[in-house]
Amino acid sequence: MKSVGVGILGLGVVGEGVVRILQKHHDNFQRDQEIDLDLVAVSSRRDVQARALGLLDIYSSDLAHVVDNPDVDVVVELLGGTDTAYQCISQALLNGKSVVTANKALIATRGRELMRLAAENGTELAFEASVGGGIPIIGPLRHTLASNRILSVMGIVNGTTNYMLGRMLEDRLDYDSALAEAQALGYAEADPTADVEGFDAAAKIAILAMIAFNTDIHLDQVATEGISNISPTDMKSAEEAGYVLKLLAVARRQAEGIDIRVHPAMIAKTHPLASVNGVHNAIYVVGDAVGETMFYGRGAGQGPAASSVVGDLIELARHITYRETITQPVWDTEALPLISDNDLMSTFYLRLPVPDRPGTLAASATIFAELGISIASMVQHAATDQQAELIFFTHAAPVAAVNTALDRLNASGILTGKPSCIRTVTD
Amino acid sequence: MKSVGVGILGLGVVGEGVVRILQKHHDNFQRDQEIDLDLVAVSSRRDVQARALGLLDIYSSDLAHVVDNPDVDVVVELLGGTDTAYQCISQALLNGKSVVTANKALIATRGRELMRLAAENGTELAFEASVGGGIPIIGPLRHTLASNRILSVMGIVNGTTNYMLGRMLEDRLDYDSALAEAQALGYAEADPTADVEGFDAAAKIAILAMIAFNTDIHLDQVATEGISNISPTDMKSAEEAGYVLKLLAVARRQAEGIDIRVHPAMIAKTHPLASVNGVHNAIYVVGDAVGETMFYGRGAGQGPAASSVVGDLIELARHITYRETITQPVWDTEALPLISDNDLMSTFYLRLPVPDRPGTLAASATIFAELGISIASMVQHAATDQQAELIFFTHAAPVAAVNTALDRLNASGILTGKPSCIRTVTD
């Protein structure tokens, strides 16, 4: 069979994993998948990894060595960043090459543009590794679940924050200690902003929504709130009420359009997402025919990411080897309006720090009543230092009303500290 | 675009679901997937469903109306049974048509033969709906996870037994009451043998192993044990020791070959499969690069099964619409020997009913010691009516040694009833 030339841009952790799989399983892929993946060019800033992997003879620090190489049929982009990666991918597509990338930041901002460029040039762009590490999710959404109108996608898609929240629950660590531990273990970066403020999760839910709803979504359209305000008290309240605190990425199709957001949420312990622990990820998809499905696995790391990259590579290589005409829908067929967070309904957990004196419960309950917010349950923890905490779980209420209630509570002078306001999820 | 002619054999529950999706989403598929699925022929024994669905003008009771119809490009086989279904599918493939089927019994016995026939005739056979209802699992194994050497597949793939075991745990029902309840709710058939004796799960794990390991497996090669011997005492022991009792389907690749079996197992509560409740299914896959992944959802029912059937239909229709040459590997490239159960190691739970008198513990412990079976933990429940129960959890031991120990215990005369012997799973 005709071999398929593979070129890799970037030989970091994932690039090394891809090379190792290609070396280890080349003959299996030839026998089982009937394709011959031939690694013909690699490029990275320095030659140290190419040397370690025995690839010096196909190495160049010049990215054009891969992008413009006539022997390369598929380019694997693992550079990270968006500017150079964009230039390389678009040039490769213009050159008629197929492209596999793990670059979530790029796909979440310019994915549609690149998919259109691929279609115009009769080639393909694949990005399974951009969401959920080794978990097959883009493939199932595009293929098996294409028979459904997808109603919602909810995910725990950031392992760093999920690990931290787990540690805060198990050992009652506070946020700073959990972050320090995650950094010490290499799960969190020195600058943890992208993880803890929810930007990483926002890029992933933007990509998932783009595929699930056949529409264009940009990272900037995702309403994002991180976990840095989560307190041990909130963790404890969640546990007592039968919930687990998670950083949740959500995209839902509604009659008026879609809503898409990332924020901490209390998830009922009976929900399949509640038992996704540690650095694992899971994506929960509801379709109009299939009902609820969930996809679970390791969301990061060399093996999982390389598994998804090479999975894409195998599929593109089969197309190149066996198909005369390549056609990949751009899957951008619905222009769905975004629903503002303020137009949504949700159930909430609200924790109000108040002085331990008569009238605070009545004052806050009155504000809720005036705004039509119905309370499902309420707890007042025993006071310490003349401080009490009122904990409310609400029935479904307009997000705008809850925000107004918080504004009024803050203005009322009855709060002695910052209140917590976290959505709850039961189904 | 050129339309793709679809013919359906069988208009039962799943057939009706497929028709409804095709009617509801025809225009979406045209817009999003760039295919035009045109239902041109249906066949079933009686015309009552065709009439109800408004399909009388394309109905015939003669199966050849679909199988030999020149306007049909893809045949959807939903007849059930194996003989007629085999004849229809093989004739359709010989006629150059692609085939989608949900027929697990047929694929688990003659799947390879039909896949070869499809390849020889330049056409395709798809069967996502044969395992796990709406859960995408065949697709991910064939595509995204093809980058891995799959090491093991473990599944809770029978909703009926999972529902029954859940009821036995929650409400302490005995087996007969749980079965009666499942039958009353329509989850179990009047003759529940295929579910409760594990044959349904055996067909599904045979199919999963065939795809995961690229090898030929026949249903008859699956060692199968059902749940009818599970007692409330075993459920309770499992719970106390941190396990949940499930009917588990397992296939593992080992150095010497593969082992494949279905049996009740105690699964550690920390394992992702332990929280798969009710009629849900889940398949847990371990690959050499991806690590652990799990696929979860509704394992049966009209919507889920039809979701998978139409998912396959969309993929085959895209191939027909856009590809000049169809090539689907037969994925039958490794002739892996089967490892006999007696050559395996496992951890076990053993419950021995004994008289409440001195010496029974010593006698049984001696038998275990002589056979090299190491005990991890042991409990003796308080006696009632001069009856005691010895409960052992073993370290990993040869299955053959444990079977020999049970033979010796039975022959020793110290047992006052039938012992329980159930495997435990922690990772």
Side-chain angles (χ1 to χ4, degrees):
Chain A
M1 73 196 77
K2 179 180 162 295
S3 72
V4 173
V6 176
I8 300 178
L9 298 169
L11 286 176
V13 173
V14 180
E16 183 192 310
V18 170
V19 170
R20 292 202 187 281
I21 292 180
L22 293 178
Q23 291 172 341
K24 185 175 167 193
H25 287 327
H26 173 271
D27 295 356
N28 290 341
F29 297 154
Q30 206 164 31
R31 186 193 61 184
D32 301 335
Q33 306 292 332
E34 300 172 1
I35 51 169
D36 178 10
L37 292 174
D38 189 11
L39 184 56
V40 294
V42 297
S43 181
S44 55
R45 208 154 351 161
R46 295 183 307 132
D47 69 0
V48 55
Q49 303 101 327
R51 190 182 304 274
L53 291 163
L55 300 175
L56 265 193
D57 55 324
I58 57 167
Y59 167 84
S60 163
S61 64
D62 182 0
L63 299 172
H65 170 63
V66 169
V67 173
D68 296 326
N69 189 327
D71 293 335
V72 170
D73 300 299
V74 188
V75 171
V76 178
E77 184 278 306
L78 300 169
L79 297 167
T82 51
D83 292 347
T84 306
Y86 175 82
Q87 284 158 25
C88 288
I89 291 177
S90 56
Q91 187 58 49
L93 294 172
L94 287 169
N95 289 343
K97 303 182 192 309
S98 294
V99 174
V100 178
T101 177
N103 195 322
K104 60 182 170 284
L106 181 59
I107 298 297
T109 49
R110 307 183 77 172
R112 280 290 166 213
E113 181 186 343
L114 290 169
M115 288 168 82
R116 267 182 231 111
L117 192 62
E120 284 160 17
N121 287 276
T123 181
E124 293 185 275
L125 173 68
F127 44 87
E128 179 69 72
S130 65
V131 182
I135 304 170
I137 180 62
I138 306 282
L141 282 174
R142 280 194 168 171
H143 298 299
T144 311
L145 298 179
S147 49
N148 288 256
R149 169 156 288 218
I150 302 297
L151 305 175
S152 68
V153 180
M154 294 205 294
I156 295 172
V157 289
N158 182 271
T160 305
T161 48
N162 204 47
Y163 175 83
M164 288 171 60
L165 291 170
R167 296 294 295 132
M168 289 168 73
L169 177 65
E170 288 158 17
D171 277 9
R172 305 273 174 237
L173 298 187
D174 63 15
Y175 171 82
D176 291 330
S177 309
L179 175 57
E181 185 183 294
Q183 285 172 322
L185 289 167
Y187 295 155
E189 315 265 341
D191 175 358
T193 311
D195 289 321
V196 300
E197 296 305 337
F199 304 134
D200 172 82
K204 291 169 180 168
I205 195 69
I207 295 170
L208 290 172
M210 185 165 75
I211 301 303
F213 304 136
N214 302 300
T215 193
D216 198 2
I217 298 276
H218 189 283
L219 173 57
D220 294 347
Q221 296 173 300
V222 183
T224 303
E225 179 192 337
I227 65 163
S228 52
N229 290 323
I230 299 294
S231 74
T233 312
D234 299 325
M235 303 292 298
K236 191 157 164 279
S237 302
E239 195 179 19
E240 287 169 359
Y243 294 90
V244 182
L245 240 166
K246 299 285 184 190
L247 181 65
L248 196 67
V250 182
R252 292 185 302 177
R253 175 193 282 272
Q254 308 211 39
E256 315 80 41
I258 63 165
D259 75 278
I260 180 163
R261 51 213 155 75
V262 170
H263 51 65
M266 291 190 186
I267 301 179
K269 283 181 188 167
T270 50
H271 193 286
L273 283 172
S275 47
V276 176
N277 294 319
V279 294
H280 287 96
N281 281 196
I283 298 119
Y284 184 83
V285 179
V286 181
D288 66 347
V290 75
E292 314 82 33
T293 58
M294 192 174 82
F295 303 80
Y296 168 94
R298 287 202 275 151
Q302 183 178 63
S307 170
S308 287
V309 168
V310 179
D312 277 346
L313 195 48
I314 290 169
E315 194 162 0
L316 299 192
R318 282 197 52 83
H319 294 174
I320 291 167
T321 306
Y322 292 104
R323 205 153 68 164
E324 316 248 327
T325 49
I326 291 171
T327 56
Q328 178 177 272
V330 177
W331 282 289
D332 177 18
T333 45
E334 284 201 84
L336 294 168
L338 278 179
I339 305 173
S340 153
D341 205 38
N342 266 323
D343 294 331
L344 297 175
M345 301 280 288
S346 180
T347 51
F348 282 92
Y349 155 90
L350 295 160
R351 178 172 58 84
L352 310 181
V354 293
D356 185 24
R357 63 162 196 250
T360 55
L361 176 57
S364 36
T366 303
I367 290 175
F368 294 142
E370 285 169 1
L371 290 161
I373 299 164
S374 170
I375 303 302
S377 68
M378 192 266 153
V379 181
Q380 176 165 356
H381 283 302
T384 49
D385 298 333
Q386 280 81 54
Q387 284 294 311
E389 288 195 311
L390 307 180
I391 290 172
F392 299 90
F393 285 87
T394 75
H395 288 296
V399 174
V402 173
N403 287 334
T404 305
L406 287 169
D407 289 345
R408 289 200 198 166
L409 285 162
N410 279 317
S412 70
I414 63 169
L415 300 186
T416 56
K418 201 170 170 319
S420 279
C421 175
I422 301 173
R423 285 166 216 226
T424 56
V425 175
T426 50
D427 58 11
Chain B
M1 73 198 76
K2 179 180 160 294
S3 73
V4 173
V6 176
I8 300 180
L9 298 170
L11 286 176
V13 173
V14 180
E16 182 191 311
V18 170
V19 170
R20 292 205 186 281
I21 293 179
L22 293 179
Q23 290 172 341
K24 185 174 168 196
H25 287 327
H26 172 273
D27 295 356
N28 289 342
F29 297 154
Q30 203 163 33
R31 185 193 62 186
D32 300 336
Q33 305 292 333
E34 300 172 2
I35 51 169
D36 178 8
L37 291 174
D38 189 11
L39 184 57
V40 295
V42 298
S43 181
S44 56
R45 208 154 351 159
R46 296 185 305 132
D47 68 1
V48 55
Q49 304 101 328
R51 191 182 303 272
L53 291 162
L55 300 175
L56 264 193
D57 55 324
I58 58 167
Y59 167 84
S60 163
S61 64
D62 182 0
L63 300 172
H65 171 63
V66 170
V67 174
D68 296 326
N69 189 328
D71 293 334
V72 170
D73 299 300
V74 187
V75 171
V76 177
E77 185 279 304
L78 301 169
L79 297 168
T82 51
D83 291 347
T84 306
Y86 175 82
Q87 284 159 25
C88 289
I89 291 177
S90 56
Q91 188 57 49
L93 295 172
L94 285 168
N95 288 344
K97 302 181 193 310
S98 294
V99 174
V100 178
T101 178
N103 196 323
K104 59 181 171 285
L106 181 59
I107 298 297
T109 49
R110 307 183 78 173
R112 279 290 166 213
E113 183 187 341
L114 291 169
M115 288 167 83
R116 266 181 233 112
L117 192 62
E120 284 160 19
N121 288 276
T123 180
E124 293 185 275
L125 174 68
F127 44 88
E128 179 69 72
S130 65
V131 183
I135 306 170
I137 180 61
I138 306 282
L141 282 173
R142 279 194 169 170
H143 297 299
T144 313
L145 298 179
S147 49
N148 288 255
R149 169 157 288 219
I150 302 297
L151 305 176
S152 68
V153 180
M154 294 205 295
I156 294 171
V157 289
N158 181 271
T160 306
T161 48
N162 204 48
Y163 175 82
M164 288 171 58
L165 291 169
R167 296 294 294 132
M168 289 168 73
L169 176 65
E170 288 159 15
D171 276 8
R172 304 275 176 235
L173 298 189
D174 62 16
Y175 170 82
D176 291 327
S177 310
L179 176 56
E181 185 182 294
Q183 285 171 323
L185 289 168
Y187 295 156
E189 315 264 344
D191 175 359
T193 313
D195 290 323
V196 299
E197 296 305 337
F199 304 133
D200 172 83
K204 291 168 179 169
I205 194 70
I207 296 170
L208 290 172
M210 185 166 74
I211 301 303
F213 304 138
N214 301 300
T215 193
D216 198 1
I217 298 276
H218 189 283
L219 172 56
D220 294 346
Q221 296 174 301
V222 183
T224 304
E225 180 191 337
I227 65 163
S228 51
N229 290 322
I230 299 295
S231 74
T233 313
D234 298 326
M235 303 291 299
K236 190 157 165 278
S237 301
E239 195 177 20
E240 286 169 2
Y243 294 90
V244 183
L245 240 166
K246 298 285 186 190
L247 181 65
L248 196 66
V250 183
R252 293 185 302 177
R253 178 192 280 270
Q254 309 211 37
E256 315 81 40
I258 63 164
D259 76 277
I260 178 162
R261 53 213 152 75
V262 170
H263 52 66
M266 291 191 186
I267 302 179
K269 282 181 187 165
T270 50
H271 193 287
L273 283 172
S275 48
V276 177
N277 294 320
V279 295
H280 287 95
N281 281 195
I283 297 118
Y284 184 83
V285 178
V286 181
D288 65 347
V290 74
E292 312 83 34
T293 58
M294 192 173 83
F295 304 80
Y296 168 95
R298 288 201 277 153
Q302 183 177 62
S307 169
S308 287
V309 167
V310 180
D312 278 345
L313 194 49
I314 290 170
E315 193 161 1
L316 299 192
R318 282 197 52 83
H319 293 173
I320 290 167
T321 306
Y322 293 104
R323 204 151 71 162
E324 317 248 326
T325 50
I326 290 170
T327 56
Q328 175 177 274
V330 177
W331 282 290
D332 177 19
T333 45
E334 282 201 85
L336 293 168
L338 277 179
I339 305 174
S340 153
D341 205 40
N342 266 323
D343 294 331
L344 297 173
M345 301 282 286
S346 179
T347 51
F348 281 92
Y349 155 88
L350 295 160
R351 177 172 58 83
L352 310 181
V354 293
D356 186 24
R357 64 161 195 248
T360 56
L361 176 57
S364 39
T366 302
I367 290 174
F368 294 142
E370 285 168 1
L371 291 161
I373 300 164
S374 171
I375 304 301
S377 68
M378 193 266 153
V379 180
Q380 176 166 354
H381 283 302
T384 50
D385 298 333
Q386 279 80 54
Q387 286 293 313
E389 288 195 312
L390 307 179
I391 290 171
F392 299 90
F393 285 88
T394 76
H395 288 297
V399 173
V402 172
N403 287 334
T404 304
L406 288 169
D407 289 344
R408 289 200 198 167
L409 285 161
N410 279 317
S412 72
I414 62 170
L415 300 186
T416 56
K418 201 171 171 315
S420 280
C421 174
I422 300 173
R423 287 167 213 226
T424 56
V425 175
T426 49
D427 60 7

